[in-house]
Amino acid sequence: MAESPEHTIDVPPAGAFALIRWALGAERRWVGVGAVVGTLWMASLAAVPVAVGAAIDNAVDRGGSGDVTRWAVIVAGVIVLGALVGVARHFIAVGLWVRTRWRIERCVTARVLDERGGDVDDAGRLLALATTDAGRIGTVADLMCRGT
């Protein structure tokens, strides 16, 4: 009986940095998207004081008779855009964390449960360590998006 593709597990490399490269490499498209969205989010945060300053300058230059409504809409639009991009950034970052962690935990669990895998002493301890390490590597993936 042939193994179905859903039951085949990609074996991660040994070594901490190789494992992180492997885990992030599998999510490289989302890491890139997260970096772009994170940059847009930071730009939108920086645009708020610029828009408020432009609104104040417009009001002062015209002696208080500037178009306040138009500038209020512009400032509100910048804030709403920042909020939407921030939600997208958070969604992508959490998705990276979850998928990276899941991939590593799946590999370790498959190794522990594989009848061909040989003796695995203290499987519970191995799974506990793998879960902790998977969470830490998931955090690295999360920070690839948030830290940009």
Side-chain angles (χ1 to χ4, degrees), residues 1-12 22 102-103 106-111 114 116:
M1 180 171 145
E3 281 189 0
S4 64
E6 64 188 1
H7 294 297
T8 58
I9 304 291
D10 188 19
V11 178
W22 173 81
W102 171 80
R103 182 170 284 109
R106 183 176 172 206
C107 289
V108 172
T109 304
R111 167 69 172 91
D114 190 358
R116 300 170 299 147

Side-chain angles (χ1 to χ4, degrees), residues 37-114:
V37 171
T39 303
L40 290 173
W41 177 68
M42 289 302 283
S44 70
L45 289 179
V48 171
V50 171
V52 170
I56 293 171
D57 286 346
N58 184 40
V60 170
D61 286 347
R62 296 182 182 220
S65 65
D67 189 6
V68 176
T69 306
R70 182 179 78 134
W71 281 103
V73 169
I74 290 171
V75 169
V78 170
I79 291 170
V80 168
L81 177 67
L84 293 174
V85 174
V87 168
R89 179 194 62 93
H90 179 73
F91 180 80
I92 292 168
V94 170
L96 278 168
W97 179 76
V98 168
R99 285 189 308 272
T100 303
R101 181 180 180 142
W102 171 80
R103 182 170 284 109
I104 293 169
E105 288 175 351
R106 183 176 172 206
C107 289
V108 172
T109 304
R111 167 69 172 91
V112 168
L113 296 177
D114 190 358

Side-chain angles (χ1 to χ4, degrees), residues 8-30:
T8 58
I9 304 291
D10 188 19
V11 178
F17 290 113
L19 180 61
I20 291 171
R21 270 194 314 274
W22 173 81
L24 293 179
E27 296 291 334
R28 65 182 161 271
R29 180 178 298 141
W30 282 109

Side-chain angles (χ1 to χ4, degrees), residues 105 108-114 118-131:
E105 288 175 351
V108 172
T109 304
R111 167 69 172 91
V112 168
L113 296 177
D114 190 358
D119 291 335
V120 177
D121 296 332
D122 200 7
R125 182 174 164 272
L126 178 63
L127 289 173
L129 287 172
T131 301

